[in-house]
């Protein structure tokens, strides 16, 4: 099997929103490159509620709470779902035809950390009714061997497969490598793949990559090889077959074309995505609605 090569290495860009939210993500320049079917992937920390209920439509928005995060999130949407995203869990909101969404740290004080991930939907699935897919921390397939921990959050890796199905097939694999530890991911020809480095340093296809960097690979080879340096490393692999379709975006609303985008934005303004009482004004404590998660 041929080895994947690096096509680019970029620094993650840092963004601050309010006093309690920081994101390290692709930035406009990197996001403009071909990471299809992904739209966005960013490491975040949040210490206080930052985003009130807001609309999503036409794509999948995912929140992955890192296993090392001291706390998780509470999450709700206008389908009636209210649930907790614990450290080590991942939650996908398939926004489809449109939903309102809100999430925030489950309590004040500790800093919650994780990934915010946006994934495109195929044009023929953009208008499906919104729903959620959630994978609890204890349901994530995990392999530990030879100084490597592999957590498969979506798709498959090294004989493990996440027990979820999404309208857009993809691969998300969270990795912890001890010093000198090695990981290999077999990738399909044409599959887009990139790595986001959290901590430490690694060799990817023989090139040195450090924390705070994003690595894009070419699509010609097969195996992606990663080896940690003299320190432990934390990194996450994102991969998927490109949808290769046009899309139009306005903030958290994605559509197949301009007229569809304008229609979605108008419907959101009219309240067509449902209603949602903010956590800040809810009197009742958090309840878990597992039955609403598909």
């Amino acid at each position: 099997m041929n080895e994947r090569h690096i096509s680019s290495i970029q620094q993650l860009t840092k963004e601050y929103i309010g006093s309690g939210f920081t994101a390290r993500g692709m930035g406009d320049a990197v996001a403009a490159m071909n990471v299809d079917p992904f739209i966005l992937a960013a490491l975040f920390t949040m210490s206080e509620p930052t985003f009130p209920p807001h609309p999503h439509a036409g794509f999948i928005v995912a929140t992955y709470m890192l296993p090392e995060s001291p706390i998780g999130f509470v999450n709700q949407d206008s389908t009636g779902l209210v649930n907790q995203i614990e450290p080590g869990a991942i939650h996908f909101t398939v926004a489809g035809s449109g939903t309102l969404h809100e999430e925030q740290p489950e309590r004040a004080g500790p800093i919650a950390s994780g990934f915010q991930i946006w994934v495109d939907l195929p044009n023929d699935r953009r208008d499906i009714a919104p729903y959620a897919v959630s994978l609890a921390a204890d349901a994530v397939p995990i392999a530990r061997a030879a100084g490597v921990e592999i957590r498969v959050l979506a798709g498959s890796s090294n004989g493990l497969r996440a027990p979820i199905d999404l309208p857009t097939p993809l691969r998300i694999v969270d990795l912890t490598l001890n010093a000198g530890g090695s990981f290999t991911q077999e990738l399909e020809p044409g599959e887009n793949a990139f790595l986001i480095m959290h901590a430490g340093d690694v060799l990817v296809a023989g090139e040195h990559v450090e924390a705070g960097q994003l690595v894009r690979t070419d699509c010609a080879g097969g195996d992606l090889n990663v080896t940690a340096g003299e320190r432990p490393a934390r990194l996450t692999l994102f991969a998927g077959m490109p949808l290769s379709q046009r899309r139009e975006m306005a903030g958290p609303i994605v559509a197949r074309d301009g007229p569809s985008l304008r229609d979605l934005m108008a419907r959101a303004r009219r309240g067509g995505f449902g209603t949602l009482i903010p956590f800040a004004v809810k009197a009742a404590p958090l309840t878990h609605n597992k039955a609403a998660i598909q």
Side-chain angles (χ1 to χ4, degrees):
M1 181 68 72
N2 294 329
E3 182 179 7
R4 284 263 173 147
H5 298 290
I6 290 176
S7 60
S8 65
I9 300 174
Q10 281 93 12
Q11 294 296 127
L12 297 175
T13 62
K14 187 169 282 191
E15 181 180 9
Y16 301 91
I17 300 177
S19 60
F21 182 86
T22 302
R24 291 178 294 153
M26 295 178 173
D28 293 341
V30 180
M33 298 177 181
N34 191 5
V35 292
D36 184 10
F38 294 89
I39 299 171
L40 174 153
L43 280 164
F44 71 82
T45 60
M46 186 186 289
S47 59
E48 61 186 38
T50 303
F51 304 103
H54 52 277
H56 290 302
F59 71 107
I60 304 168
V61 56
T63 298
Y64 171 47
M65 302 307 301
L66 293 175
E68 58 265 38
S69 177
I71 59 171
F73 266 10
V74 288
N75 176 85
Q76 65 172 346
D77 64 46
S78 56
T79 69
L81 172 68
V82 182
N83 70 304
Q84 183 181 27
I85 311 171
E86 63 192 327
I90 189 166
H91 181 85
F92 298 88
T93 299
V94 182
S97 59
T99 188
L100 298 180
H101 181 235
E102 183 185 23
E103 57 189 1
Q104 66 183 42
E106 60 188 347
R107 67 179 188 273
I111 297 175
S113 60
F115 266 103
Q116 183 77 179
I117 306 158
W118 291 12
V119 181
D120 204 6
L121 278 170
N123 275 333
D124 62 358
R125 305 298 301 278
R126 290 201 194 276
D127 298 331
I128 59 175
Y131 67 97
V133 177
S134 197
L135 189 60
D138 61 5
V140 174
I142 301 175
R144 299 180 179 93
V148 179
E149 179 181 276
I150 302 170
R151 309 184 84 251
V152 183
L153 305 164
S156 61
S157 177
N158 288 265
L160 302 176
R161 176 173 290 277
I164 58 172
D165 290 311
L166 295 166
T168 303
L170 50 92
R171 215 187 290 268
I172 304 175
V173 184
D174 197 33
L175 300 165
T176 302
L177 307 182
N178 290 346
S182 295
F183 166 80
T184 297
Q185 175 66 56
E186 183 178 346
L187 295 164
E188 297 294 329
E191 187 175 4
N192 279 331
F194 62 94
L195 296 163
I196 290 182
M197 284 291 301
H198 314 197
D201 63 284
V202 296
L203 288 177
V204 181
E207 296 195 44
H208 185 250
V209 182
E210 298 180 340
Q213 293 183 321
L214 180 145
V215 182
R216 290 182 61 250
T217 73
D218 63 31
C219 296
D223 288 349
L224 176 62
N225 297 311
V226 181
T227 302
E230 297 180 355
R231 299 172 293 163
R234 288 283 287 114
L235 63 156
T236 303
L237 167 68
F238 301 86
M241 296 299 294
L243 295 173
S244 302
Q245 62 187 15
R246 177 187 174 190
R247 66 170 179 256
E248 297 284 340
M249 292 183 61
I253 297 179
V254 183
R256 63 176 59 85
D257 53 33
S260 299
L261 180 62
R262 290 189 289 274
D263 287 347
L264 281 170
M265 293 173 67
R267 191 157 63 83
R269 288 192 295 270
R270 294 194 304 267
F273 291 1
T275 60
L276 192 60
I277 301 172
F279 283 125
V281 300
K282 281 187 172 182
L286 171 70
T287 58
H288 299 278
N289 186 359
K290 296 291 187 182
I293 304 176
Q294 302 178 13

